[in-house]
Amino acid sequence: MRIVFNVSGTIDRSKLEATFAASPVIHWLCNIQLRAGALFGRPYWLYTDKGNDIIIQQHRHEVPNEIPAAVLQRDIPIEGERFIECDLIEYPGNTGLIIISWNHILIDGRGIGMLMHHLNEIAAGNTVSDINSLFPAPEKALGMLAHIRNMYKVKSFIEQSSKAPLASVASAGSQAIQPFKTKIIYYNEQQTAAIQENAVKHGARFGPNLFYIACCSHAINNLLKRRNKQGTLWLPVPYDGRLRGATGPVISNTVAFFFYRMPQEVLQSVKQTVISLSDQMTEQIKNKRTQQYSNLLNMMRHIPVWLYYKLVNKTGEGTFTSFVYSATGEGFNKQLSFAGHEVTGLTIYPSPTFPPGLTFSFLKFNNTLNINIAYSPDIIDTFEITFIEEELKKLLDTTA
């Protein structure tokens, strides 16, 4: 994943280097290796203390705000020695970008927001008061029998939620060979306020997230109708397991999921879809589905993959989401500076995910909304991405 800061004025590389060097999180991310382990092949992160620093690459690019393809297509493999890196891009007119890239296995969306806050504190001269809070606490003990019972509860629920047939932008046998592309939609402050008002009118009582999901779902459903492949949509949506107001941990992917099933009956109107999503979310919270899924993820970290697949009998093989959705909420809305640099724009580039080959990432910055759509050209062609953009704009702007 990547977070991109638009900055005005000269980028102070020495300031960034000093900020990174003073961060225990950056140091740890640059000095670990993934080990398979001895007991049942259990994996773990080994701190190597090799003295690696974060790699900062500097670029000069003539097209304003364009990110060189070599930067966007560069991967951070799980076998690497560093799991975070930085690119500085300078443009004519004394503007530029600061790009932080990381492996999403180690830091989730909210975690990267916490890391940016941590780095800003260092850049401002504040000391890190509690290093332990930046890293995950020891897991709560849960017996293997309880883990197995929980696993089958989650398995049963997901089987029912994702019951075939399902419709997706990708189909069986699809391949994503070409590099992913991105399409970003920008809204100004007035337009963003109008969209959030529309969300309330459509029944999104706890923020605009369910309205955004509903609009994306209708845009994809309309695309599938054009392909004559419409059907039930299925969508796992990330849910951050940290407490509200928490400042850590930074390191750790604490994401669980809500699982939403949308048959054609609930896709007759956006308002109807929002109501269905709200009901499903309420039911899953009431039955502690997200907590059960988090426990399952914790279990999976402690057993080899081959054993996990044997336990679940590969029941979900061949099932994949209709598309991918994520949103940062208010996490970056007031991120108006980074390491002493004034930030004039901000967006997140999601990890390329295939299947299905299409991801919507919603981010609010300085009271303005932007939507980064990452897609595989092998799954979504040029005409279809234009269609999706136009449909999504129309749906977000429609009043109830």
Side-chain angles (χ1 to χ4, degrees):
M1 294 182 71
R2 291 181 172 83
I3 185 169
V4 178
F5 298 98
N6 296 72
V7 297
S8 58
T10 303
I11 299 175
D12 188 344
R13 177 170 179 149
S14 62
K15 176 74 171 178
L16 288 168
E17 288 175 336
T19 301
F20 293 145
S23 167
V25 179
I26 299 295
H27 178 76
W28 188 83
L29 287 168
C30 293
N31 290 276
I32 56 173
Q33 285 185 342
L34 182 63
R35 294 294 176 87
L39 182 61
F40 296 113
R42 172 184 170 180
Y44 65 96
W45 293 103
L46 175 69
Y47 175 62
T48 61
D49 197 18
K50 290 184 177 181
N52 291 338
D53 295 321
I54 187 172
I55 294 176
I56 302 177
Q57 297 192 42
Q58 204 149 357
H59 315 263
R60 179 74 181 179
H61 198 65
E62 295 304 314
V63 182
N65 296 321
E66 182 181 83
I67 302 177
V71 175
L72 288 177
Q73 294 169 16
R74 193 171 66 237
D75 194 17
I76 300 180
I78 201 69
E79 303 84 7
E81 289 193 350
R82 294 174 176 84
F83 295 89
I84 192 166
E85 59 192 23
C86 177
D87 289 272
L88 311 178
I89 304 179
E90 297 176 329
Y91 302 107
N94 205 27
T95 62
L97 301 178
I98 300 173
I99 303 175
I100 309 293
S101 306
W102 71 97
N103 190 304
H104 72 281
I105 289 177
L106 285 159
I107 309 178
D108 57 36
R110 188 173 173 196
I112 200 65
M114 293 175 174
L115 178 57
M116 297 304 105
H117 175 75
H118 161 72
L119 294 172
N120 268 352
E121 289 290 295
I122 291 174
N126 300 323
T127 58
V128 180
S129 56
D130 185 7
I131 293 177
N132 290 332
S133 69
L134 304 173
F135 296 87
E139 295 175 9
K140 294 180 179 179
L142 191 64
M144 183 53 69
L145 187 59
H147 267 307
I148 292 174
R149 282 199 297 262
N150 179 75
M151 180 186 69
Y152 279 103
K153 284 182 183 178
V154 177
K155 173 176 175 284
S156 177
F157 168 71
I158 294 179
E159 282 178 348
Q160 187 63 34
S161 174
S162 63
K163 188 176 180 180
L166 298 173
S168 173
V169 293
S171 55
S174 298
Q175 293 185 353
I177 299 172
Q178 301 179 67
F180 269 59
K181 295 183 178 181
T182 58
K183 178 70 177 181
I184 305 178
I185 305 172
Y186 293 98
Y187 290 95
N188 61 31
E189 187 170 347
Q190 183 179 1
Q191 292 168 329
T192 300
I195 289 171
Q196 293 186 315
E197 185 177 338
N198 285 343
V200 174
K201 291 177 179 178
H202 280 84
R205 297 172 294 164
F206 306 107
N209 200 40
L210 294 183
F211 177 63
Y212 294 160
I213 295 170
C215 289
C216 292
S217 299
H218 277 261
I220 297 310
N221 191 50
N222 292 340
L223 172 68
L224 293 174
K225 285 180 179 178
R226 283 166 57 101
R227 295 180 177 179
N228 199 27
K229 292 184 177 181
Q230 70 269 29
T232 296
L233 302 184
W234 184 65
L235 184 65
V237 174
Y239 165 78
D240 178 42
R242 299 176 183 84
L243 296 175
R244 186 181 297 275
T247 57
V250 172
I251 299 296
S252 179
N253 196 318
T254 62
V255 167
F257 288 90
F258 286 113
F259 295 89
Y260 295 116
R261 184 178 179 89
M262 291 169 276
Q264 288 295 304
E265 305 90 80
V266 305
L267 290 168
Q268 300 304 306
S269 72
V270 172
K271 189 169 186 176
Q272 187 180 20
T273 305
V274 170
I275 292 171
S276 174
L277 295 172
S278 181
D279 290 344
Q280 292 181 64
M281 181 182 71
T282 301
E283 184 274 333
Q284 291 178 49
I285 292 174
K286 179 181 177 181
N287 290 290
K288 299 182 179 179
R289 300 298 188 194
T290 55
Q291 181 179 334
Q292 291 169 0
Y293 190 82
S294 293
N295 289 338
L296 174 63
L297 292 181
N298 288 336
M299 175 188 170
M300 289 172 63
R301 295 186 182 106
H302 292 272
I303 65 174
V305 173
W306 65 266
L307 178 57
Y308 171 73
Y309 278 123
K310 186 176 180 63
L311 288 170
V312 302
N313 294 317
K314 293 189 178 181
T315 306
E317 188 171 6
T319 298
F320 43 83
T321 180
S322 300
F323 58 94
V324 177
Y325 171 89
S326 67
T328 62
E330 296 286 329
F332 294 98
N333 192 34
K334 299 303 179 185
Q335 182 82 51
L336 304 180
S337 66
F338 176 63
H341 299 80
E342 180 187 357
V343 175
T344 59
L346 189 156
T347 192
I348 283 183
Y349 282 70
S351 299
T353 303
F354 179 83
L358 176 68
T359 299
F360 296 93
S361 178
F362 284 65
L363 182 142
K364 189 178 178 184
F365 166 74
N366 199 19
N367 298 321
T368 64
L369 176 68
N370 69 68
I371 308 165
N372 195 330
I373 308 173
Y375 65 99
S376 165
D378 296 303
I379 305 300
I380 305 292
D381 63 32
T382 302
F383 297 104
E384 288 183 330
I385 193 62
T386 300
F387 175 82
I388 290 171
E389 178 187 5
E390 292 174 350
E391 285 292 299
L392 188 55
K393 286 179 177 178
K394 181 173 64 178
L395 290 160
L396 290 167
D397 290 341
T398 301
T399 57

